[in-house]
Each structure stands twice: as C-alpha cells, then as structure tokens.
Amino acid sequence: MYCSSRPALLTVDHLSMRFGGLFAVNDLGFTAYGSEITAIIGPNGAGKTTLFNCLTGFYKPSVGRIALTAPGAPRFLLERMDGYRIARDARVARTFQNIRLFPGMSVLENLLVGQHTPLMRASRYSLAGLLGLRGYRLQERRSLDTARYWLDRTGLTAQADQPAGSLPYGSQRRLEIARAMCTEPALLCLDEPAAGLNPRESLDLNQLILDIRQEQGIGILLIEHDMSVVMTISDHVIVLDHGSLIADDDPAGVRCDPAVIRAYLGTAEDEDLPTEVAADLNRTAAGGRS
Amino acid sequence: MAAPSRSPSSSTSSPTPPGSALETVRQAPHGRILLDALAAGVLAALLALPILGFRLIEVTGGLALDYRFRLVGLAALGVFAGRILVLEARLALAAWRPAAARPETRRTFLGAYASRQSFGWILALLALILPWLPFADRNLIDKATLLLIYVMLGWGLNVVVGLAGLLDLGYVAFYAVGAYSYALLSQNFGLSFWVCLPLAGLLAAVFGMLLGFPVLRLRGDYLAIVTLGFGEIVRVILLNWQDVTGGPNGVSGIQRPSFFGHPFTATTPTGTTFHDLFGLPFSPDHRIIFLYYLSLTLALATNLVTLRIRRLPIGRAWEALREDEIACRSLGIDPTRTKLSAFATGAMFAGFAGSFFATRQGFISPESFSFLESAIILAIVVLGGLGSQIGIVLSAILLVGLPEWFRDLQQYRMLAFGGAMVLIMLWRPRGLMASRDPTVRLAAVPTSPGTGG
Amino acid sequence: MEYFTQQLINGISLGAIYALIAIGYTMVYGIIGMINFAHGEIYMIGAFISLIGFLLLGTFGITYIPLALIIVLVLAMLFTSIYGWAIERVAYRPLRGSVKLAPLISAIGMSIVLQNYVQISQGARVKPLPPLIQGGLTLFSDNGGYPVRLSYLQILIVVVTITLMAAFTYVIARTPLGRAQRATEQDMTMARLSGVNVDRIISLTFVMGAALAAVAGLMVTLYYGVIDFYIGFIAGIKAFTAAVLGGIGSLPGAMLGGLLIGLIEAFWSGYFPIGYKDVATFSILVLVLIFRPTGLLGRPEVEKV
C-alpha cells in the first residue's frame, strides 16, 4: 500500500463499471495525491481507459464513489456529475488515447477552446463579447497569453496558425496536453501520451510532464505502457488486471511485486515458459524482495 | 436526364479510386471512351423508355397512352454525344495539365485570404450601388432583394450547419415563424415593422430553443429527420389552424413598410408620404429601392454579427463541437446548451428574414414555406462551402439568381435547379469556397500583456 | 369496435406499403450511411411505370388481371431498378468518401430532378386508374353496425409484402450476397480487402431498394387509384420516418416502423382531425427518438471515447 505525505487529491472507493455481464472495472479503490504523478498500468484490457472514462464522466460507474478534493476548492463527487461539469467545475482535464483535437481549427484556436469557461464567463452570454466590452477584451488578452505560454512550452509557437490536423503526430500529442493544461486543471489525466512517439519525442514528453507537476503543482494520472517511462517519472504506481487492483505502491515496489509480474508475463506453471525466462523471473522477484 | 458525369474533383481528398472514369480515360484512348458513351446511351434509353416514351393522356372515360419513342432516341443520342464530349474534354485536359499539380491549383483558386476579402468588399460595393447602375430596372432590383433574403437565410443557416455542424432540414419553419409573427402582430395589434422585426426574431429564436431542446442530443442524421419533421409540422399547422393563420389562403393585406412612418404611397390620409417628405415626384420605384436597401442592411447586419460571433468563445465552441463533441465535453463545454444557442441564433436570423419577406410580399401563405425552401437554403450553404460567407453569396446567385432569370421556362427551371445541385456537388463536393480561415492569428496578436484598454 | 377494426385493417395495408419503401432507406443507410433522399421519387416512378404498364397491357388486350398484375410487377421492378442503379452510379458513387453532406445534397438535387422530370414528361395533373381488383370480404356487419370490409386488394398488399419481406430476410441472412452486404455494412474497407466487390454490393443494394419501392408504387396505384408526380415526397419522408422509428439499418425495424406509421395514420385519421395526421406521425417519431434514440429495434450504440 502506497503512502504519501502530500494531501490526497482523488479518492476512488469501490468503483465498478459493468458492461452487460462483464466487469471492466471491479471494486477498485485507490488514492492519488496532489503534486504527484500517479501511473496506472496493466495489460491490455485491464480497465485503465474505462477508469479514466469513469473519472471524467464519459461513463457513469455502476457502483462506487470518486471524490476529488483540490486545494482551495470544495469536494466534488465525480460519479454524480456530467462530463462537462467535471471538466468545468471540478477541473479534471484529460487527453485521449487516440488523439481528439479539433483538426480543422488552428493550433491557437484549439488552445482558446480549452479556455472556453473563463472566456465565456467574461463574454456574458456573448453580449459583452459582441459589443467588444472591456472586460471581455481583457480576458481575451489573458487567454491569448496563456495560449502563448503553452505554445512556447510545447514548442508549437511556429505552427500556431496551422490547422491542428496538419501537425505531425508527436506535435498533436503535445498540443492535446497543452490544450488540457489551458483549462487550468487540478487533476490532469493523460491516456497513453507517449504512444506512437519516437524515443527522442518520448524523452521530451517525460520532461514536459515532470515540469508540469513541478511548476503547476497539480496531480497527474498517467496511463502508460512503456515501463521505462513509468519507472522514471512516476511517484506512485497503480496496477490493474482484469479490472481489479493488484498493486498500489511506489515504482520500486511495483517492479518486484509477484502479482504484477504474473499479470504481465503469466505464471510459470500455466504458461510453459522457457526455463531460462522462468529462472530470470524468479531471480527478479527474489531480488526485489530482499 | 442529366448526362452521367463523374467528376475528378472528388479526388482532392482521396486518390482516384481505380476503375473510376478518370482512370479509365487516362489509360485508355478513344475506343474506351466510345464504349463508355455507348453504355451511357443505352442506359439513357432504358431510363427514358418507360417515362419519356409513353405519355399518359386523359381521354373521356380514363387514360390513354401517347407514344413518343422519338424522345427516347433523342435522349439516348444526347447522352451518348454528351458523354463523348465530356470524356474527350477530360482526356485533353488531363494531357494538358499534369494531374499531380491539380489539387494545389484548386486550393489556391480564390482561396487566398486577401483576395477573398477584397472580393467581399467588391461584392458589397456592387450591392450598394446596384439600384443606380444604368441597367438596373425595377425587375432586377426586386430580384436582387429576393436574392438578398436567400443570402441572409444562407448566412443564418450557416451558423447551424456550417459552424455548429447540426444538419437542419427544417430551417424554413423558423422563416415561417418570423413571417407569420410579423403578419399577425401587425394585423392584430397594429405594430409597426420596426417593432415586429426584433419580436419576430425573438419568437423564432424561442421557437428554435423549444424545438431544439428535446432533439439536440440526437445523432446527426436523426436530427436531420426530426428537423425535417418539425418543418412539416409547422407547415401543416399553418395550413390547418384556420382561425389564426387563415389556412391555405394565408394572410393578405400585410402592412407594407414605411420610411419611419412615411408610407410609399401616392397619398396618405395622415401624415406625409415618402415622396412629399423629400419633395420628390411620386414613383412606385421608391418602395422597391427602399426594400432593396432594407434587405441589404439586414443581410449585412447578419453577416457582421455572424462574423463577429465566429470570433467569440461561443462561435469557437460551435466549431469545436462540429469537430469533436467528446473533446468539447472534456474541456468543460456543455454540448446541449452550446448547440441550443447555435440553433436559436440561426432561427433568429430566419425570423428576421421571415418578417422582411412578409412585409415585402404583403401576402404570405403556407405554400412559401415548403420543404423545397429548406432544401434550397441548405443547398446554398453546402454549395457555398460550409462556413464560408462569400461562398454562400456566390451559390445563392448561382442557385436562386440564375434560375430567376429563366422564369419564363417555368417548367424547366426546377429541373435545372436540381441538376445544378447534383453537378456542382460532383464538381466540388466541398463547396465553392472550401478553405477555412482561423478566427485568430498569433501573428496578429500583440505580445505585451496588460496594455489593452 | 367495428370502426376500430376497420382502421386496423386500413392501417396495416398502408403500413405494408410504407414498410416496403422504408426498407430501401434502411438498407442504403445501413450500408453507406447516407439518407437516399431520392428514394421517395423512385417509388413515385415505380407507380408511374406501373400505371403505364397497365395501360400498355390493355392496348395489347391482356385483360386477365392476375397475368397483368404479374407482368406489370416484373416490368415495374425491372425499370425502377434501373433508375435506382443509375442514380447511385451518377450522383452518389463519385461522392463516396467525400464530405458527409455532399451525397445528401446531391440526393436532394436528384430528388428535385426526378420530380420535375416526371412532371414535365407526364404533366402535373393527377392520374386516375379505374379499380382493377374489386370486391372483398365483409367481416361482422350483421349486428347492424358499421360494416368492416377487408378488400381483396388489402389482402393482396399484405400477402405480397409479407412474401417479399420473407424473401428479403432470407437473402440478407442466408445467401452469400447477403453476407457480403452485411460485411460491407460493418466495415467497408475490410470487406474490400476480403475480396468483396464493394461497388457491386452497393449498386445491388440500391437495385434491391428500388425494386421494393416499385412494388410499393404498384400497390399504391392499385390502392388509391390516383397518382401524381408529388406522391414520392410525402411517402418518402414517412417511410424514412418509419425506418428511423424502427431503428435505421435494421430490416425488421423498417417493417415494424412502417407498420406503426401506417397504423398511427389510419387511427389518427379515423378519430381526430385528418389535417393533423402528419403532425401525429412526426410527434411520435420525436418522442421515440428522445426516449429511445436508436429507434425501436436499433442496436444501442456505445459511445467510443
């Protein structure tokens, strides 16, 4: 069980999500802490993305409670809220496994849509905006500055006026993160941000995620398949298998957890592993425990 | 029948599929073309045979048949010759222009931002001086007014379809609401046009929200059929609610517009007429010209407002919703409310256009608000290139203006209209002006914060 | 009770006709995801071809009604299918894979073209046909009340419809053609890679839809005895509504939807002001879509995030 000195940000209790007879997430409970990177790992079909969809309101969980307590904000029970409210009021931002940008709109516009809530508020149901009142213009200026900041941070300034759909894959991934950050989230959920990136881009991305945690002081949930990434940047690792929690520890602890190894590689008994692999496995497990 | 023609322009987005006409033409010389045209001719003959070849004529005691096989032969020959012409022309064109360079030339054609803006200004200027041009007569100005109504409707629907991506097949319902609001308010309560105009817009917008609320959660195609249904419902109610709407007879004797209280009549029992006010000799042209400028003002106002809204957060949210609704939700945008606002805004413009239509005609009936009108407006928006303001003007001229000229050929007018819709789509599936300009450019934004005021 | 039964009978016959048209919409929508707006006109052309066919047979002296019916049925299906095929080929195929709205606009244009083509070539006046199939059964009229009539024509309509539906369901469910169709519907690219001639399957879908619409056209000509160039529009909208009501893309859904629309119309006309019957139809559509957005028999969609 993982312990942290930091305040709890997200508390998930007895979360279950059922599709027909299948439990995609089964009685899951964990806590993610503020200013930490919490990695969620597990084999394909373990329920990671389903968990994200429950957290961000795209699915209504069958059972369970998801509580978010950000500093300086009231406590939100996410399982009861609509998706857009979770993003707007509870300030949970996310990216998607298969990138979801607004491909026909420019990079800069994507970042402005990310700041819809404050802009909309300042435009007062568009009336102030239509008349070009001062309050709206100031907010627009501020939003553009925020956008400029994130363009700079993600190295997309030069492409700001291009359609988002025309960017190369790696840039699209970064843009999606920048857009999510423009909502000024309390919790950022990244769904496989490194998928499809080359090693160099992947390294840059790790740095970006670390910087975000460092500078913005927000909690980050990260679904990731690349173990080296997980081990390098995360503070806390949650392992799912078949929708259930099988480990909840720091990276070093998870690395040598026998349940995790079994989930990833199968057991030596039922899978007829080559002897040297099995030996290797046992050695790792034993080494970890000592 | 329209000659079967397959356009190469559909290949701008995807490579030419093997086996398409263009491919056939490229690899194959004239023999293949002949075969292709022969097949098209035979097909045309088969199509024409049952409908064109026999004509049902009424005789005493029922129907009889008239044989017109000559027409079938003509149709087949026409299609055969037309097909040869089209394919040969395409062959010649393909040889003359390298195929690879084509998409680029297409994209830049009238697509450049600057040239398009100046084009818009030229159009606006032309519209402004139109009544004073030497060739402008009553008829032309009247038709230009009608055209402007369609441009305005196109710009209004563009908010719904072009920006928000909601397929509305019943837009004409809001147009009808606007027209009947004005007609009934002015007849029953004696309200003037300038009071009724905002009321009509408001009523149409409220109506849009009432209709939109239950259905905007539906997927695109369902939304299309439900809006189509609503359009029909409104028409049916107008037809049947005799006490209020006058049923199929409509509302007549609607108050004509006045120049801020000064009517465009030869004499008036109270106050002064327009020509007395300015010391002009009475002319019926005054009203026509006034109506023209009124419609131009309304249309330009619509344009201005929609252009401005597009740059506001709500406008960007509409476009974002069109691109990806799920991403929108993840950014805190309420999809239902945002769609509703697009629906209501579009409806409001239709309401304005409707009340102008009512005052221009002086008479309205449900006939003016059939599905065909919705189809025409939608066609204007889509042919214009979704979201393009100038494209909408061009396609309105093409679809409404040109056919108006051929009113004498009444019968063939709608045939040509439908044919044009198909052919333009085949020629340019993305519309006449397909490229989109961003609503904000980084280069145009000043860098230092806090200096605004 | 008698009145109710009579409306039930009328509603079922009308619903059968709508169902035949609705299948064309639902199949095309299922396979290429477009609303074939011109389908209503196809049905109208089917009606005209049937009428012309009857007159033509009359001039040849074929007056034996069952024979004439069969010949006209075959002719109408054949020629209407050619229309269906040609429209797909000319106006839709070049736009496949293009912007989503392009085929819809093209289809609306096609619908306008066909309507005016028939209007110009055949005239705008309503065309009457003397009733060919007369008589029927009178069910329980003995208690002095309202006589409930079940005409032979109504029996014919229902029998033909059920036969065709059964044949169709068999084709889709059991034959290689049906398998290819279902494969194309699920994943066009994958179907093509597996050797399905997708273009041909789509063409065939249009042909099948048109053939059924032609049958509907023939039935309507017989049933109402009058047709004009405008019948396709309203019937088309109603049939599409039926397809959506039943769950678009679903064959049994189209049948159920058609039947329901027919019944709603018949009962509304029987009990309420007839002018508002279309309002009733569309209102029920809206209600169904709000509470069951995929239609009655449509597959529920899981939103993919």
Side-chain angles (χ1 to χ4, degrees):
Chain A
M1 198 57 202
Y2 180 75
C3 287
S4 172
S5 56
R6 297 195 171 89
L9 178 64
L10 178 79
T11 318
V12 175
D13 287 313
H14 302 291
L15 182 74
S16 292
M17 181 72 212
R18 210 171 64 184
F19 296 108
L22 178 86
F23 277 94
V25 171
N26 192 2
D27 198 30
L28 185 65
F30 69 89
T31 304
Y33 299 89
S35 308
E36 279 192 0
I37 297 176
T38 307
I40 297 170
I41 64 170
N44 285 328
K48 305 182 296 282
T49 299
T50 306
L51 169 64
F52 262 33
N53 285 339
C54 288
L55 290 181
T56 49
F58 285 99
Y59 295 158
K60 288 271 160 281
S62 315
V63 189
R65 202 183 63 175
I66 309 168
L68 184 86
T69 329
R75 180 157 165 271
F76 290 102
L77 295 176
L78 304 187
E79 79 278 5
R80 297 181 188 165
M81 294 166 71
D82 280 336
Y84 76 92
R85 279 178 192 280
I86 292 178
R88 191 182 68 187
D89 303 333
R91 295 184 173 280
V92 177
R94 71 171 289 180
T95 65
F96 296 88
Q97 198 171 345
N98 39 357
I99 309 174
R100 281 185 179 275
L101 292 170
F102 307 120
M105 302 173 80
S106 76
V107 171
L108 180 60
E109 284 174 310
N110 267 273
L111 297 185
L112 287 179
V113 174
Q115 301 175 69
H116 180 77
T117 310
L119 277 169
M120 199 62 193
R121 217 163 267 155
S123 84
R124 310 209 180 270
Y125 301 104
S126 304
L127 278 179
L130 214 52
L131 300 171
L133 296 188
R134 189 184 147 82
Y136 172 68
R137 273 181 302 158
L138 283 178
Q139 177 59 46
E140 196 179 29
R141 185 70 51 85
R142 265 200 297 280
S143 298
L144 281 169
D145 284 333
T146 311
R148 198 195 302 277
Y149 173 76
W150 285 107
L151 281 174
D152 193 41
R153 290 303 306 271
T154 48
L156 292 169
T157 311
Q159 288 86 21
D161 295 330
Q162 287 178 13
S166 71
L167 295 183
Y169 193 79
S171 307
Q172 293 199 14
R173 283 259 178 234
R174 289 205 304 283
L175 175 58
E176 208 188 11
I177 295 174
R179 189 182 64 184
M181 284 313 295
C182 277
T183 65
E184 297 183 3
L187 173 67
L188 176 66
C189 303
L190 301 173
D191 197 344
E192 293 196 36
L197 299 189
N198 64 35
R200 156 107 225 139
E201 290 173 320
S202 187
L203 275 180
D204 289 347
L205 183 79
N206 290 351
Q207 195 53 50
L208 178 68
I209 297 173
L210 283 171
D211 288 349
I212 287 175
R213 182 200 57 171
Q214 200 70 38
E215 293 159 20
Q216 314 289 323
I218 63 171
I220 297 175
L221 282 188
L222 172 74
I223 294 181
E224 187 50 75
H225 271 300
D226 187 337
M227 279 312 128
S228 66
V229 173
V230 171
M231 294 306 153
T232 340
I233 70 171
S234 52
D235 304 292
H236 173 189
V237 181
I238 285 163
V239 191
L240 303 185
D241 189 25
H242 294 104
S244 306
L245 184 79
I246 56 170
D248 180 356
D249 211 336
D250 56 21
V254 161
R255 193 202 307 263
C256 40
D257 190 313
V260 176
I261 293 163
R262 216 170 359 205
Y264 268 85
L265 296 172
T267 46
E269 295 88 73
D270 58 31
E271 289 253 333
D272 269 349
L273 288 169
T275 40
E276 57 271 45
V277 175
D280 206 35
L281 260 179
N282 287 331
R283 205 161 43 240
T284 324
R289 249 179 240 129
S290 61
Chain B
M1 268 308 296
S5 82
R6 270 150 284 168
S7 159
S9 66
S10 56
S11 60
T12 42
S13 57
S14 59
T16 315
S20 82
L22 188 64
E23 200 61 28
T24 324
V25 165
R26 238 186 247 140
Q27 310 161 342
H30 312 284
R32 279 266 184 92
I33 290 183
L34 199 68
L35 270 181
D36 186 301
L38 213 59
V42 170
L43 179 64
L46 281 175
L47 289 175
L49 180 66
I51 299 288
L52 217 53
F54 303 94
R55 185 183 168 97
L56 295 160
I57 45 170
E58 277 142 90
V59 292
T60 42
L63 287 173
L65 282 180
D66 186 14
Y67 305 96
R68 301 185 301 181
F69 297 127
R70 217 165 51 94
L71 278 181
V72 177
L74 280 177
L77 266 180
V79 168
F80 173 70
R83 187 82 184 134
I84 288 188
L85 267 176
V86 166
L87 290 183
E88 286 288 351
R90 207 178 283 168
L91 186 66
L93 220 66
W96 175 61
R97 216 167 33 176
R102 207 170 302 151
E104 271 67 39
T105 45
R106 263 172 204 287
R107 276 205 162 280
T108 49
F109 168 72
L110 275 177
Y113 182 62
S115 74
R116 215 197 304 182
Q117 260 206 334
S118 50
F119 187 52
W121 282 112
I122 292 172
L123 270 183
L125 200 71
L126 201 68
L128 210 62
I129 58 166
L130 180 81
W132 315 107
L133 293 176
F135 55 83
D137 55 0
R138 254 182 92 100
N139 189 20
L140 181 95
I141 298 172
D142 203 38
K143 287 196 166 138
T145 311
L146 186 74
L147 186 68
L148 281 170
I149 296 182
Y150 278 103
V151 169
M152 190 174 165
L153 286 168
W155 280 337
L157 183 61
N158 185 35
V159 169
V160 184
V161 183
L163 295 185
L166 303 166
L167 184 49
D168 184 352
L169 290 181
Y171 191 60
V172 78
F174 307 124
Y175 185 41
V177 168
Y180 273 86
S181 305
Y182 171 61
L184 298 175
L185 282 174
S186 91
Q187 277 209 329
N188 297 333
F189 303 100
L191 298 181
S192 80
F193 176 73
W194 294 108
V195 178
C196 289
L197 184 71
L199 279 180
L202 198 71
L203 274 171
V206 169
F207 198 68
M209 288 218 234
L210 286 180
L211 292 193
F213 190 70
V215 299
L216 282 175
R217 272 172 307 167
L218 299 179
R219 226 178 46 189
D221 310 294
Y222 287 159
L223 184 69
I225 191 72
V226 169
T227 50
L228 176 77
F230 274 141
E232 282 300 298
I233 287 177
V234 167
R235 204 177 57 88
V236 169
I237 290 177
L238 291 179
L239 266 175
N240 286 283
W241 199 10
Q242 299 260 359
D243 305 341
V244 176
T245 64
N249 301 326
V251 185
S252 53
I254 300 167
Q255 196 192 351
R256 307 307 299 264
S258 60
F259 186 78
F260 303 101
H262 307 284
F264 292 92
T265 46
T267 54
T268 173
T270 54
T272 47
T273 61
F274 174 79
H275 64 274
D276 282 341
L277 185 71
F278 289 94
L280 298 166
F282 171 74
S283 157
D285 289 355
H286 290 162
R287 173 156 59 203
I288 303 285
I289 292 175
F290 174 72
L291 279 173
Y292 173 76
Y293 278 116
L294 186 56
S295 67
L296 186 62
T297 314
L298 286 174
L300 287 181
T302 308
N303 183 33
L304 216 68
V305 171
T306 44
L307 278 181
R308 180 107 191 111
I309 291 185
R310 213 184 135 226
R311 282 160 221 276
L312 289 180
I314 188 73
R316 289 200 197 102
W318 289 341
E319 290 200 75
L321 212 55
R322 177 194 65 201
E323 305 261 310
D324 195 326
E325 184 171 335
I326 287 175
C328 275
R329 276 196 267 162
S330 83
L331 297 172
I333 297 174
D334 178 349
T336 312
R337 204 190 278 186
T338 309
K339 283 183 192 172
L340 213 54
S341 66
F343 220 58
T345 310
M348 181 183 72
F349 289 125
F352 292 151
S355 66
F356 175 78
F357 176 75
T359 190
R360 171 184 178 262
Q361 301 291 102
F363 161 73
I364 49 170
S365 73
E367 231 173 89
S368 310
F369 308 104
S370 64
F371 168 72
L372 188 65
E373 293 294 313
S374 285
I376 291 174
I377 304 164
L378 183 68
I380 287 174
V381 174
V382 176
L383 295 184
L386 288 170
S388 159
Q389 301 286 99
I390 291 181
I392 285 170
V393 178
L394 290 183
S395 67
I397 294 175
L398 216 61
L399 282 183
V400 180
L402 283 186
E404 277 300 313
W405 245 255
F406 301 109
R407 259 214 189 270
D408 310 335
L409 304 165
Q410 184 65 306
Q411 283 196 315
Y412 297 94
R413 196 173 74 100
M414 287 317 290
L415 190 70
F417 173 80
M421 266 168 92
V422 177
L423 289 180
I424 298 178
M425 270 298 111
L426 294 178
W427 173 49
R428 300 201 129 198
R430 284 166 191 280
L432 298 170
M433 299 247 179
S435 63
R436 172 187 180 279
D437 295 318
T439 56
V440 59
R441 280 167 187 277
L442 193 65
V445 178
T447 28
S448 55
T451 51
Chain C
M1 184 59 208
E2 288 82 4
Y3 191 58
F4 179 87
T5 318
Q6 185 67 63
Q7 296 310 330
L8 191 69
I9 292 172
N10 296 349
I12 289 174
S13 348
L14 190 61
I17 294 174
Y18 284 144
L20 283 173
I21 313 174
I23 288 185
Y25 279 110
T26 226
M27 286 202 312
V28 166
Y29 190 90
I31 212 158
I32 52 175
M34 81 168 273
I35 302 174
N36 179 13
F37 227 94
H39 191 61
E41 315 313 330
I42 294 276
Y43 145 83
M44 178 268 294
I45 284 180
F48 267 89
I49 293 178
S50 309
L51 183 50
I52 290 173
F54 279 123
L55 286 172
L56 201 60
L57 289 185
T59 57
F60 288 148
I62 299 173
T63 46
Y64 180 55
I65 303 250
L67 180 65
L69 267 181
I70 290 172
I71 295 178
V72 168
L73 187 72
V74 171
L75 280 180
M77 284 172 86
L78 184 72
F79 279 101
T80 314
S81 305
I82 300 177
Y83 269 91
W85 185 85
I87 288 167
E88 192 272 334
R89 190 61 214 247
V90 171
Y92 304 156
R93 192 181 293 182
L95 292 174
R96 206 177 296 150
S98 173
V99 201
K100 204 168 168 253
L101 278 178
L104 180 72
I105 297 292
S106 184
I108 294 177
M110 213 44 185
S111 152
I112 296 175
V113 166
L114 291 175
Q115 227 179 69
N116 286 276
Y117 161 65
V118 173
Q119 187 191 356
I120 292 169
S121 55
Q122 298 294 340
R125 300 274 296 272
V126 166
K127 306 280 180 284
L129 176 77
L132 288 179
I133 304 171
Q134 280 166 322
L137 310 168
T138 306
L139 315 166
F140 49 104
S141 71
D142 42 0
N143 48 5
Y146 190 90
V148 177
R149 305 252 324 146
L150 172 62
S151 69
Y152 293 136
L153 185 56
Q154 285 172 326
I155 299 177
L156 178 76
I157 288 176
V158 173
V159 168
V160 168
T161 306
I162 290 177
T163 315
L164 280 173
M165 300 270 178
F168 246 72
T169 314
Y170 177 81
V171 167
I172 300 287
R174 292 288 152 81
T175 62
L177 169 65
R179 201 178 308 124
Q181 245 170 344
R182 280 179 288 137
T184 310
E185 180 183 338
Q186 302 228 326
D187 190 334
M188 203 183 283
T189 319
M190 206 50 222
R192 184 176 282 130
L193 289 177
S194 333
V196 175
N197 185 343
V198 168
D199 280 342
R200 223 190 68 203
I201 292 299
I202 293 174
S203 280
L204 268 172
T205 307
F206 274 85
V207 164
M208 286 156 93
L212 287 183
V215 179
L218 169 66
M219 298 298 167
V220 130
T221 312
L222 292 171
Y223 195 52
Y224 288 125
V226 284
I227 56 170
D228 63 48
F229 72 99
Y230 198 66
I231 56 168
F233 175 67
I234 291 291
I237 294 186
K238 296 246 180 78
F240 186 69
T241 304
V244 174
L245 187 63
I248 198 152
S250 144
L251 220 53
M255 302 175 200
L256 179 68
L259 201 61
L260 282 177
I261 297 276
L263 286 172
I264 293 167
E265 252 191 72
F267 279 104
W268 186 277
S269 315
Y271 292 97
F272 301 103
I274 194 162
Y276 288 105
K277 70 171 195 243
D278 294 352
V279 174
T281 311
F282 286 122
S283 307
I284 288 187
L285 172 75
V286 172
L287 287 178
V288 168
L289 285 184
I290 289 168
F291 293 107
R292 214 185 137 74
T294 48
L296 294 172
L297 299 184
R299 272 161 279 159
E301 272 177 65
V302 174
E303 192 172 39
K304 287 197 187 101
V305 177

